[in-house]
Amino acid sequence: MTKKGKDGANEPSSKAKGSSLVEESKKKALFSTSSLHGCHSSQKLSKIHGSGPETEDVSESSSGSEEDEEQPEHRPESLTDLPSEYWQIQKIVKYLKGGNQTATVIALCSMRDFNLAQESCQLAIRDVGGLEVLINLLDTEEIKCKIGSLKILKEISSNSQIRRAIADLGGLQTMVEILDSSDKDLKSLAAETVANVAKFRRARRTVRQHGGIKRLVELLHCVPDSAALSEQQEKDIEVARCGALALWSCSRSTRNKEAIRRAGGIPLLARLLKSPHENMLIPVVGTLQECASEKSYRIAIQAEGLIEDLVKNLNSGNHELQMHCASAIFKCAEDKKTRDFVRQYEGLQPLVGLLKVSENKQLLAAATGAIWKCSISLENVEKFQEYNALEMLVGLLTDQPEEVLINVVGALGECARNPPNRATVRKCGGIQPLVGLLTGINPALLVNVTRAVGACAVDLENMAIIDNLDGVRLLWSLLKNPNPDVQANAAWAVCPCIKNAKDAGEMVRSFVGGLELIVNLLKSTNKEVLASVCAAIANIAKDEENLAVITDHGVVPMLAKLANTADDKLRRHLAEAIAQCCMWGTNRVSFGEAGAVAPLVGYLRSSDASVHQATAEALFQLSKDPNNCITMHENGVVKLLLGMIGSSDEVLQEAAAGCVANIRRLALANEKARYN
């Protein structure tokens, strides 16, 4: 008995497929199974695995999880441990090797009757040379044989070892050529198999180098937008869906992302994003969210108006689609325009709604990531307050994977810039779990949690809780972390803690070796670390005892050494630190001797008003030494300061006027001495 398959081939009934062929092979074929296993398996393993380590293009960067390492193969201890399917598949492969077209099609149908998702069946096909035969069939002129072969390759390529073997045998090159076929079933199967195989770097490169990216983009052209489809239109949809699947796999390579863009993939993906077909949307959004790591794509996604479609699909009932849409927003929301678009298209509330799906950790990670990036804009933070997002985020601070925690803490850190939200975090019990996360080791998590704790510490009540939980000591210990981003954020967080602690001077002195540690960080080459440490020193130096200690540790020459910087952020905090350090002993004289005065005068030419204020205060303190006044005058400080005396900033006014007054006072004294 036979039945007609989708591809038009006559397929044996399910009961007869495997068993009849095996029985026939017992009568007609006498060959040694043990010999076949020993020969083909060892030869094939040598061909697939014995070519040495792969040489990867170092510039072929990628994102997401990788399969760059060969997965260990768990093989049976002996031939007797092999399942019966293993030997049956061996016999079927013989018919593939030597049969005519009809026998080949029947053998392919029989092979598909096995559970090809089972590893033993997958490896059996490989071990007895079945992969070479299947790949060779792709070069024939027989459509049925090609379709049958691709259906099997599509199934078994879910195995990482099979994927690599297909790539080693040149299967990808042949599949890429099939993408030019006029047969839609063939194109769909070839593209979907490419999608499975291109899970590792070398395979993705092979697809690009053999013109596969351009061909896959071409597959996206043939998609109608209507929901009611004819049979041919359904095939068109399937071709485009499989093309998008393959592009999704390939887009994990930076070079492939650029190749997709150059081939005109973005407008085609944009069109597909409006499709009413959910199974189409998932690979399309998956490709877009993968590519959104590149700035050129983020700009294009904005320009094509795709944010509205991504927001629309957040309301889908499909968790996978929602996850990819949220992930795309997460990556694109680095840009302010995107954050504004998400708010304008009412995407913030659906994102908050996804926090309720706490059992789906991938979806939760994507949603919290999108909320984090969207909360960079204060207008969005106000909306999140309306939707009670903070209460839900605080509830996610425990018993969550690190990927979720990083995003949750990042969002809380951004939201805590608004004073009411600091109180909300405290009232919801969020301070204790935040402080607890300071003991972690994940750098990305530590960067976000230090920022969040620092933002919360601006509130006096929060600071009292942080202090009781020994949070400041934990922050200080993170200054030893080898990661400069962690160091910088820990130093920034220390600043509000020192400002708001009841007895900040005593607290800082209680940290054994703490002052020496922070002064030594001035040797860092990272500008963000230097700026944050200068800000911390400006706060530490407000306590006279601590200022004396850091002076002994050589803070003055180290600060002076940084004076020749063009970075405005560092300039501002360096000037603040110098101004405070001038309050002890002969420090202001030492700054002059170390050559810090002349560079500071140059800061007044900056376009940053906050730099002007800090610099004027530092110059005012330094101008209390006559030699510093002479240096300032020689560098044209008076003309610069005179303009600032009329500033609307009262602090700047006073500091500028005070500095000019000290210089003028010295000039008058010199004149008086000359005439006397």
Side-chain angles (χ1 to χ4, degrees):
M1 290 177 65
T2 62
K3 62 178 181 180
K4 205 78 168 177
K6 284 185 180 178
D7 52 22
N10 289 331
E11 297 180 353
S13 63
S14 58
K15 289 183 181 178
K17 284 179 189 173
S19 56
S20 61
L21 197 58
V22 171
E23 287 302 317
E24 187 180 352
S25 66
K26 285 180 182 176
K27 297 174 184 176
K28 295 184 178 180
L30 297 173
F31 59 92
S32 169
T33 54
S34 59
S35 169
L36 181 66
H37 175 76
C39 175
H40 281 279
S41 177
S42 60
Q43 286 177 356
K44 192 52 49 200
L45 282 169
S46 172
K47 186 168 184 179
I48 295 172
H49 303 300
S51 55
E54 295 173 9
T55 304
E56 297 291 0
D57 184 349
V58 293
S59 63
E60 187 86 1
S61 61
S62 58
S63 57
S65 58
E66 277 292 347
E67 292 182 5
D68 288 340
E69 295 300 325
E70 193 72 58
Q71 299 298 316
E73 183 174 347
H74 302 290
R75 300 187 63 78
E77 293 293 327
S78 65
L79 297 182
T80 56
D81 295 329
L82 292 167
S84 59
E85 292 90 348
Y86 191 94
W87 308 111
Q88 293 170 17
I89 285 171
Q90 280 193 342
K91 295 175 175 62
I92 293 173
V93 169
K94 178 194 172 189
Y95 281 88
L96 284 178
K97 287 179 177 178
N100 57 25
Q101 181 192 344
T102 304
T104 299
V105 172
I106 292 171
L108 288 169
C109 293
S110 298
M111 190 175 287
R112 287 187 61 213
D113 199 41
F114 289 94
N115 180 10
L116 296 179
Q118 190 174 311
E119 188 179 36
S120 59
C121 293
Q122 295 165 349
L123 296 180
I125 293 171
R126 183 199 69 182
D127 289 351
V128 298
L131 280 180
E132 292 98 321
V133 180
L134 291 169
I135 290 169
N136 285 340
L137 287 174
L138 300 181
D139 284 322
T140 65
E141 298 299 321
E142 301 299 331
I143 298 292
K144 290 178 183 178
C145 292
K146 287 184 176 182
I147 287 176
S149 175
L150 281 171
K151 283 182 176 180
I152 294 168
L153 289 169
K154 183 188 80 173
E155 294 297 323
I156 64 176
S157 57
S158 61
N159 183 300
S160 63
Q161 296 172 55
I162 299 293
R163 284 197 279 271
R164 291 180 179 274
I166 290 171
D168 289 340
L169 294 167
L172 274 171
Q173 291 90 316
T174 308
M175 291 174 206
V176 165
E177 290 172 9
I178 290 173
L179 296 175
D180 289 330
S181 169
S182 59
D183 188 282
K184 292 177 183 178
D185 290 331
L186 257 184
K187 287 198 286 192
S188 298
L189 286 166
E192 194 164 1
T193 310
V194 168
N196 286 347
V197 177
K199 300 287 188 189
F200 62 103
R201 192 173 295 161
R202 179 165 53 88
R204 292 193 286 271
R205 186 171 66 242
T206 299
V207 174
R208 183 185 71 249
Q209 290 175 342
H210 288 82
I213 300 297
K214 189 174 180 181
R215 288 179 170 100
L216 289 169
V217 169
E218 286 295 317
L219 301 186
L220 306 182
H221 276 287
C222 52
V223 180
D225 295 327
S226 60
L229 302 170
S230 66
E231 185 179 347
Q232 282 305 308
Q233 286 176 325
E234 283 182 357
K235 287 192 175 186
D236 288 339
I237 285 280
E238 184 63 10
V239 167
R241 185 190 73 84
C242 294
L245 271 175
L247 287 173
W248 187 7
S249 293
C250 291
S251 66
R252 289 165 66 184
S253 155
T254 302
R255 287 191 177 183
N256 285 355
K257 288 172 188 173
E258 179 58 22
I260 294 167
R261 190 185 65 77
R262 286 201 309 268
I266 297 175
L268 292 172
L269 289 167
R271 182 189 168 199
L272 296 183
L273 193 54
K274 299 184 185 299
S275 169
H277 308 285
E278 208 167 73
N279 65 341
M280 168 70 74
L281 290 170
I282 289 173
V284 167
V285 178
T287 305
L288 286 170
Q289 68 91 12
E290 195 68 60
C291 291
S293 57
E294 298 296 314
K295 187 175 181 180
S296 59
Y297 272 88
R298 295 197 292 271
I299 293 168
I301 286 169
Q302 275 182 25
E304 294 282 345
L306 302 190
I307 302 300
E308 184 176 6
D309 294 307
L310 292 172
V311 166
K312 177 185 171 184
N313 287 311
L314 285 175
N315 294 303
S316 160
N318 186 307
H319 285 346
E320 187 180 1
L321 178 56
Q322 289 173 315
M323 184 263 289
H324 291 306
C325 287
S327 183
I329 291 170
F330 171 35
K331 291 179 179 178
C332 292
E334 293 280 354
D335 183 88
K336 186 181 185 302
K337 282 186 180 177
T338 297
R339 297 196 292 271
D340 292 342
F341 283 143
V342 175
R343 182 179 68 257
Q344 289 165 18
Y345 296 129
E346 300 182 348
L348 300 177
Q349 193 164 12
L351 285 173
V352 174
L354 294 178
L355 298 180
K356 297 173 184 174
V357 193
S358 56
E359 70 281 358
N360 187 328
K361 300 306 178 186
Q362 282 188 310
L363 177 57
L364 193 60
T368 51
I371 289 171
W372 169 22
K373 295 302 180 182
C374 286
S375 63
I376 294 171
S377 293
L378 288 173
E379 300 92 334
N380 290 346
V381 170
E382 290 171 5
K383 287 290 183 184
F384 286 136
Q385 286 173 244
E386 287 179 30
Y387 305 141
N388 299 318
L390 267 81
E391 291 84 347
M392 298 175 73
L393 288 168
V394 169
L396 294 171
L397 282 173
T398 52
D399 302 322
Q400 296 296 336
E402 280 189 341
E403 188 181 9
V404 174
L405 286 173
I406 289 167
N407 297 338
V408 168
V409 175
L412 288 172
E414 295 296 341
C415 291
R417 291 175 297 156
N418 266 17
N421 291 341
R422 296 173 199 142
T424 301
V425 173
R426 180 181 69 252
K427 290 170 184 174
C428 293
I431 303 297
Q432 186 169 353
L434 280 174
V435 171
L437 291 172
L438 290 171
T439 59
I441 57 172
N442 183 314
L445 179 56
L446 289 174
V447 165
N448 283 0
V449 76
T450 47
R451 186 180 294 140
V453 171
C456 289
V458 175
D459 181 282
L460 288 171
E461 291 184 60
N462 287 352
M463 180 55 212
I465 299 171
I466 291 167
D467 196 13
N468 288 336
L469 294 168
D470 214 17
V472 186
R473 187 182 299 276
L474 291 172
L475 285 171
W476 212 282
S477 69
L478 289 174
L479 296 172
K480 300 176 186 176
N481 193 286
N483 186 299
D485 292 332
V486 175
Q487 290 176 352
N489 279 281
W492 287 124
V494 160
C495 295
C497 291
I498 296 172
K499 284 180 185 175
N500 293 328
K502 282 185 178 178
D503 188 354
E506 183 57 40
M507 178 185 72
V508 170
R509 282 192 295 279
S510 71
F511 305 144
V512 179
L515 290 171
E516 184 179 7
L517 168 64
I518 204 156
V519 170
N520 282 335
L521 282 175
L522 291 173
K523 297 173 184 175
S524 173
T525 56
N526 184 290
K527 287 182 181 176
E528 189 70 18
V529 171
L530 293 172
S532 61
V533 169
C534 285
I537 286 172
N539 284 285
I540 291 166
K542 289 175 182 176
D543 179 88
E544 194 174 73
E545 279 190 58
N546 289 337
L547 176 52
V549 173
I550 62 174
T551 299
D552 289 343
H553 285 307
V555 74
V556 171
M558 293 176 81
L559 289 173
K561 194 175 179 181
L562 300 174
N564 288 299
T565 179
D567 184 272
D568 276 344
K569 191 173 187 179
L570 177 53
R571 282 175 163 183
R572 175 192 168 186
H573 295 291
L574 175 58
E576 288 173 351
I578 289 173
Q580 287 298 328
C581 289
C582 281
M583 308 295 188
W584 177 256
T586 59
N587 282 359
R588 57 174 56 91
V589 176
S590 301
F591 277 120
E593 292 170 349
V597 177
L600 278 173
V601 174
Y603 294 7
L604 296 176
R605 296 184 178 90
S606 166
S607 58
D608 188 334
S610 63
V611 173
H612 297 166
Q613 186 193 90
T615 303
E617 289 189 87
L619 291 172
F620 170 58
Q621 292 299 329
L622 290 165
S623 69
K624 293 177 183 179
D625 173 65
N627 289 325
N628 290 343
C629 285
I630 294 168
T631 305
M632 291 178 203
H633 191 273
E634 288 172 348
N635 284 275
V637 77
V638 174
K639 186 178 178 181
L640 294 167
L641 288 174
L642 284 173
M644 294 178 184
I645 291 173
S647 168
S648 58
D649 181 340
E650 290 185 6
V651 176
L652 176 56
Q653 270 184 27
E654 279 191 40
C659 186
V660 170
N662 287 340
I663 294 170
R664 182 60 183 154
R665 207 171 284 122
L666 177 62
L668 287 171
N670 283 341
E671 275 187 48
K672 189 175 180 181
R674 191 182 306 133
Y675 287 115
N676 289 340

